[in-house]
Amino acid sequence: GHPQEISMDSAIQFRVVGHVQGVGFRAFVSQRGVQLGLTGWVKNSSDGSVVGMVEGDQGLVVEFIKELRIGNRWSSVDRVEEQSHKFSGDFESFEIRY
């Protein structure tokens, strides 16, 4: 008997606050999402934060949010706000929106 692996899909709306615009942060977010096999989108918000949506395996989504807290080498992340969302399965890739 192989134990059945239970994969939970989750969706998180996120907002990253800090020095995160003009530092390649969206590309970093999109790349990490793709590398983890997640889907969603990311964009700059008019208030200086970076916002987006991520969907996929719950464990990988948690890993993804951890990566956002660390950021890339040119960014300085103050905090990441998360809001649970209903999983849609609508996204085909992890895109950068403008």
Side-chain angles (χ1 to χ4, degrees), residues 23-54:
V23 291
F25 198 82
R26 286 170 306 172
F28 159 76
V29 171
S30 156
Q31 197 177 28
R32 291 308 293 141
V34 169
Q35 282 168 347
L36 288 164
L38 302 169
T39 59
W41 56 269
V42 59
K43 71 180 184 116
N44 281 344
S45 177
S46 56
D47 67 3
S49 66
V50 166
V51 296
M53 176 83 80
V54 58

Side-chain angles (χ1 to χ4, degrees), residues 14-33 41-45 48-52 64-81 94-98:
F14 60 85
R15 179 166 175 259
V16 186
V17 179
H19 178 57
V20 290
Q21 288 193 9
V23 291
F25 198 82
R26 286 170 306 172
F28 159 76
V29 171
S30 156
Q31 197 177 28
R32 291 308 293 141
W41 56 269
V42 59
K43 71 180 184 116
N44 281 344
S45 177
S49 66
V50 166
V51 296
F64 172 83
I65 297 290
K66 272 187 202 158
E67 297 268 354
L68 295 197
R69 289 209 174 93
I70 297 164
N72 65 354
R73 58 197 288 197
W74 301 283
S75 64
S76 169
V77 176
D78 295 336
R79 67 179 188 277
V80 177
E81 297 167 1
F94 208 108
E95 64 184 41
I96 296 173
R97 291 186 178 172
Y98 298 97

